[in-house]
Amino acid sequence: MKLIRTQDAVGQVLCHDITQIIPGVTKDAVFRKGHIVREEDIPVLLSVGKDHLYVWENDETTLHENDAADVLRELCQGENMHATGPKEGKIELVADCDGLFLADLERLRAVNALGEMMIATRSSGFAVKKGDRLCGMRVIPLVIKKEKMERARAAAGGPPLLRLIPMPPRRYGVVTTGNEVFYGRIADQFTPVLQEKLSEFGCEMAAHEIVGDDCEKITASIRRMLDGGCELVLCTGGMSVDPDDRTPLAIKNTGAAIVGYGAPVLPGAMFLAAYMEDGRAVCGLPGCVMYAKRTIFDLALPRLLAGVPITAEWLAGLGNGGLCLNCPECRFPNCGFGKGV
């Protein structure tokens, strides 16, 4: 680029967008990159505060901000998302479907640490809707060295930094445990809560059984649901350390591998996640899921539906941000719950 007086710019090619801001009315480019300046453009350019302009001088060692932003787009863009056109040097990625949004935080941090460039994403690990913005990216200067963008490629490494994994509707089963429900002493208030939460994702409850505090019967119920084709089994009740609470042992006795019993999340400390050999999940849900607005289950459910394994490492990482503040007006997921770094 070279810098020249605006009055001398007639016939020159703009190398960046020129933005006009009218508070409360507009913030948009009045001239776009590549525009050839005309005589009648001079008063307009002066009115938006441009006494000098950068015009394009070809340099084989540098990239224009739009081209550099497209390099960042290549590093980020995975399946099920599309890119907007560059605007004022920025490109955004938008979801093409409902799904679980995941960002590779370590590699994302490595790219952002290079300086002179930025990629800002929405929080990883949460469900998004079709049409939601996933991220925005740009370089900071108007031009940047090609060598710097090659360093970004090296820092990002192989696969795209971002993934959007569809969450197809799942057929699930619910095993309600506890003598108090089995013998009709109290009504089952847990199952309707689960049905409401999963219906938001189009899921259908394919099986429901109420079982007393009998370990063998709970195990048999889980196995019947799996044999009947349930893709996910949720067990409610019996998750604490009281002598009558048999659900964790019953899940273990199905042959499922328990990846975590207990999570650094409140509400939801007594959550249990286990997987059968074929990858289907069996979970034990603590009582808080029945009455608290948001719990560990809200953090785990998108992964369960997307088929992304819940791991001990992921559970351990929930501690930072794992305390729900139980706000009078719940704005989840637009809050800090579950968004530790």
Side-chain angles (χ1 to χ4, degrees), residues 171-231:
R171 298 178 71 251
Y172 66 96
V174 176
V175 180
T176 302
T177 73
N179 286 340
E180 68 278 19
V181 180
F182 182 72
Y183 290 112
R185 298 167 188 158
I186 65 171
D188 174 18
Q189 300 181 51
F190 213 136
T191 303
V193 172
L194 296 182
Q195 287 180 283
E196 182 178 356
K197 284 185 180 292
L198 278 97
S199 68
E200 295 177 10
F201 299 97
C203 297
E204 172 191 359
M205 186 171 72
H208 178 219
E209 295 186 15
I210 300 176
V211 186
D213 294 316
D214 184 308
C215 186
E216 292 183 359
K217 290 182 178 179
I218 298 171
T219 298
S221 180
I222 295 170
R223 285 176 171 159
R224 277 194 296 273
M225 292 183 182
L226 293 170
D227 291 342
C230 287
E231 300 169 88

Side-chain angles (χ1 to χ4, degrees), residues 255-331:
I258 295 177
V259 297
Y261 178 26
V265 176
L266 292 173
M270 304 305 290
F271 174 74
L272 185 151
Y275 286 92
M276 306 301 294
E277 286 188 1
D278 61 8
R280 287 183 290 176
V282 180
C283 295
L285 305 184
C288 61
V289 178
M290 176 173 57
Y291 60 81
K293 292 178 183 177
R294 297 296 176 180
T295 69
I296 177 66
F297 187 54
D298 297 285
L299 304 180
L301 183 56
R303 288 176 175 262
L304 293 168
L305 299 182
V308 174
I310 291 173
T311 64
E313 181 182 10
W314 178 74
L315 289 169
L318 293 175
N320 181 26
L323 177 64
C324 176
L325 300 181
N326 194 29
C327 302
E329 182 182 353
C330 181
R331 292 187 171 90

Side-chain angles (χ1 to χ4, degrees), residues 41-306:
D41 298 334
I42 302 301
V44 179
L45 290 164
L46 293 172
S47 74
V48 296
K50 298 300 179 183
D51 291 331
H52 297 82
L53 296 172
Y54 283 108
V55 292
W56 189 251
E57 281 187 314
N58 190 29
D59 181 351
E60 295 300 324
T61 69
T62 60
L63 284 177
H64 183 271
E65 61 175 349
N66 286 354
D67 299 319
D70 195 55
V71 173
L72 296 177
R73 192 264 322 153
E74 290 178 9
L75 302 182
C76 289
Q77 187 172 358
E79 295 182 356
N80 304 312
M81 58 187 77
H82 71 272
T84 64
K87 182 178 180 181
E88 300 177 5
K90 179 181 69 175
I91 294 176
E92 294 183 332
L93 292 176
V94 180
D96 287 335
C97 67
D98 296 357
L100 172 65
F101 173 69
L102 294 174
D104 189 311
L105 301 183
E106 183 176 348
R107 292 190 294 134
L108 177 64
R109 187 176 291 110
V111 174
N112 280 327
L114 293 173
E116 294 191 295
M117 63 190 72
M118 56 78 64
I119 303 168
T121 77
R122 68 191 302 132
S123 292
S124 175
F126 289 82
V128 300
K129 295 288 188 182
K130 180 179 180 179
D132 283 349
R133 290 187 301 160
L134 303 178
C135 78
M137 65 210 79
R138 64 172 302 156
V139 296
I140 307 305
L142 292 173
V143 294
I144 191 169
K145 290 292 185 180
K146 290 181 179 179
E147 180 272 335
K148 191 66 174 284
M149 299 313 299
E150 289 305 312
R151 289 171 59 191
R153 292 184 192 275
L161 297 175
L162 308 182
R163 290 189 292 160
L164 181 57
I165 304 172
M167 298 186 300
R170 303 286 187 180
R171 298 178 71 251
Y172 66 96
V174 176
V175 180
T176 302
T177 73
N179 286 340
E180 68 278 19
V181 180
F182 182 72
Y183 290 112
R185 298 167 188 158
I186 65 171
D188 174 18
Q189 300 181 51
F190 213 136
T191 303
V193 172
L194 296 182
Q195 287 180 283
E196 182 178 356
K197 284 185 180 292
L198 278 97
S199 68
E200 295 177 10
F201 299 97
C203 297
E204 172 191 359
M205 186 171 72
H208 178 219
E209 295 186 15
I210 300 176
V211 186
D213 294 316
D214 184 308
C215 186
E216 292 183 359
K217 290 182 178 179
I218 298 171
T219 298
S221 180
I222 295 170
R223 285 176 171 159
R224 277 194 296 273
M225 292 183 182
L226 293 170
D227 291 342
C230 287
E231 300 169 88
L232 169 66
V233 177
L234 304 172
C235 301
T236 70
M239 289 302 302
S240 74
V241 294
D242 293 339
D244 289 335
D245 289 338
R246 310 292 175 81
T247 304
L249 179 59
I251 294 174
K252 181 180 179 180
N253 288 345
T254 64
I258 295 177
V259 297
Y261 178 26
V265 176
L266 292 173
M270 304 305 290
F271 174 74
L272 185 151
Y275 286 92
M276 306 301 294
E277 286 188 1
D278 61 8
R280 287 183 290 176
V282 180
C283 295
L285 305 184
C288 61
V289 178
M290 176 173 57
Y291 60 81
K293 292 178 183 177
R294 297 296 176 180
T295 69
I296 177 66
F297 187 54
D298 297 285
L299 304 180
L301 183 56
R303 288 176 175 262
L304 293 168
L305 299 182

